[in-house]
Amino acid sequence: MLRSTLRAAATRSRTHSLELRNTAISSPSSSSESPYSTLIKAPHDKFKLDANKPPNVAPTSWATGGGDAVSGVQERERLLKADENKPSLDVGPNGRPLFTAIPSLSQLTREDTCSYLKFTRQGLDAVLPEGLPEGMVKEFEDSMRTALLVRQNFLELRDNFRRVIDPPIRPSNGKGPKVRKQIVLDGPVSCGKSIALAMLVQWAREEGWLVFYVPRGRQWTHGGFFYKHPETGLWDTPVQAEHVLKDFVKYNESYLKQLPCQIFDPIPLGEGAGVGWLKDADSLAIPEGTNLYELVKTGIDQTHAAVGVVVRLRKELSLVKDMPVLFAIDQYNNWFTFSAYEEPVSLHSCRPIHARELTMVKAFRSMMHNDMMVGAFSHSTAVGKLRKDLPDVPADARVMFPRYSLNEAEAVCHYYLRQRLIRREAFSEENWKRMYFLSNGNGSEIRGLAPFMR
């Protein structure tokens, strides 16, 4: 009897719930009486600004959230433009200047740490035509200013390569920092590795160095046409090779025209992207007197020679003595795992191709040489955890790049206050420290939490 009563009650409860659900779905006009109306409306309301909040606190990323957010961004832009005439706002922690007066990366000293260096977007695009790191672009968009924090870790990285080229007159007797020609920047997600690498490239180019900069190493192992070269047994990617050569010549054209080729062996030809093999030639002769610009231009114009030119370029750059040469590779960890390519091994199965089997990666990945090279890991690409001892990398090459320290986070929060990303009435030492410890020094998370400080 008791079991029958419970079964009947459960049936009535399910019937009542179904009626409520049907009513909520079929009658949206009466959603105020239905418990499901909140669930239906939530996705559209979550980006709306509070009527009690000043509209200028909305970050740029909210611009797609509705009309209120767009007007908030526009109002913030207007207020920031008016703030340019108020130098009294450019105050950092402990009354220090928020922005450094030093005009270039080369002149920065320890006195400038925890302050911001101003850039122009036109200047950055000119010196880094290969593209800016995603984290740098997001920082500029959300803060609405092209300025970056001067960190002690970047100064140490810069000074390391400065000492490689210009060693100190007096030896340090082992007490000073070790000078490394090859460095792998490692560290947690959003600790600033890619930004530090881009700033290093900018500094080196301003110093007159020849820099081979790859801001997106993952693209070398993903996408585009690929095939197995019958002579080398490696996999060629001519589409990526063409893009690499085009990027390299953007900033370095004037340097390459001054540097003659030193290797004149014929360059092996491969399969062209979408055009197959050449029928009457399997190599390309390099006449004496050819300079590096003409070599690169050949790889751009002839798709069959693109991969071979990239490999030859790596060898040629190691022989350059007229100027310092630096190889800077971002997303370097993608070259130590499997690529996106697969080789069919049977009718129903494929074998994943490792990055070391790709011709271009094999030519550039190794750090077992005497050239200056720095690679930055990008854990946001989620390629998996790599072992500590990497092949083709010196055992002492890895340098851990930390997240923001407490002093750096304080400077960052004062900067976001200056850029109206944080409400002035909500800003306090207690609040910014709470935000710092909540994010564990993660720069992206601090920037994302800043508008919500209460």
Side-chain angles (χ1 to χ4, degrees), residues 16 43 51 95 102 127 130 167 187 191 220 278 293 330 343 347 376 436 441:
H16 181 63
I102 299 300
V127 77
E130 297 92 340
C191 67
W220 285 39
L278 287 177
Y293 174 76
D330 201 1
E343 178 185 17
L347 187 61
Y436 168 74

Side-chain angles (χ1 to χ4, degrees), residues 63-81:
T64 58
D68 293 340
V70 172
S71 62
V73 172
Q74 294 173 346
E75 178 67 8
R76 182 177 165 219
E77 290 178 344
R78 185 187 68 80
L79 292 173
L80 286 175
K81 189 173 294 185

Side-chain angles (χ1 to χ4, degrees), residues 159-205:
D159 292 342
N160 173 81
F161 287 101
R162 176 179 281 170
R163 284 190 292 268
V164 172
I165 298 302
D166 188 15
I169 298 176
R170 295 181 180 179
S172 61
N173 298 324
K175 296 181 179 180
K178 181 179 180 179
V179 177
R180 295 180 173 92
K181 281 191 173 183
Q182 299 85 28
I183 288 180
V184 174
L185 293 180
D186 197 0
V189 177
S190 297
C191 67
K193 300 181 294 294
S194 297
I195 293 179
L197 182 65
M199 293 174 69
L200 179 69
V201 172
Q202 178 180 355
W203 165 78
R205 285 178 169 171

Side-chain angles (χ1 to χ4, degrees), residues 35-90:
Y36 295 95
S37 60
T38 304
L39 298 178
I40 296 173
K41 281 189 172 183
H44 301 282
D45 291 344
K46 66 180 180 180
F47 292 109
K48 289 187 178 180
L49 299 175
D50 189 346
N52 297 323
K53 284 194 296 185
N56 61 306
V57 302
T60 307
S61 56
W62 290 12
T64 58
D68 293 340
V70 172
S71 62
V73 172
Q74 294 173 346
E75 178 67 8
R76 182 177 165 219
E77 290 178 344
R78 185 187 68 80
L79 292 173
L80 286 175
K81 189 173 294 185
D83 289 346
E84 290 297 321
N85 300 320
K86 302 176 182 178
S88 60
L89 297 177
D90 300 339

Side-chain angles (χ1 to χ4, degrees), residues 1 72 82 159 262 371:
M1 181 67 180
D159 292 342
Q262 302 184 52
D371 301 324

Side-chain angles (χ1 to χ4, degrees), residues 69-118:
V70 172
S71 62
V73 172
Q74 294 173 346
E75 178 67 8
R76 182 177 165 219
E77 290 178 344
R78 185 187 68 80
L79 292 173
L80 286 175
K81 189 173 294 185
D83 289 346
E84 290 297 321
N85 300 320
K86 302 176 182 178
S88 60
L89 297 177
D90 300 339
V91 179
N94 301 319
R96 290 184 55 194
L98 187 59
F99 299 98
T100 178
I102 299 300
S104 68
L105 293 169
S106 180
Q107 301 176 25
L108 293 174
T109 66
R110 291 179 178 237
E111 299 292 329
D112 301 299
T113 56
C114 294
S115 62
Y116 274 79
L117 178 63
K118 297 179 181 179

Side-chain angles (χ1 to χ4, degrees), residues 268-282:
L269 300 179
E271 184 175 352
V275 294
W277 294 82
L278 287 177
K279 296 181 179 180
D280 54 351
D282 58 1

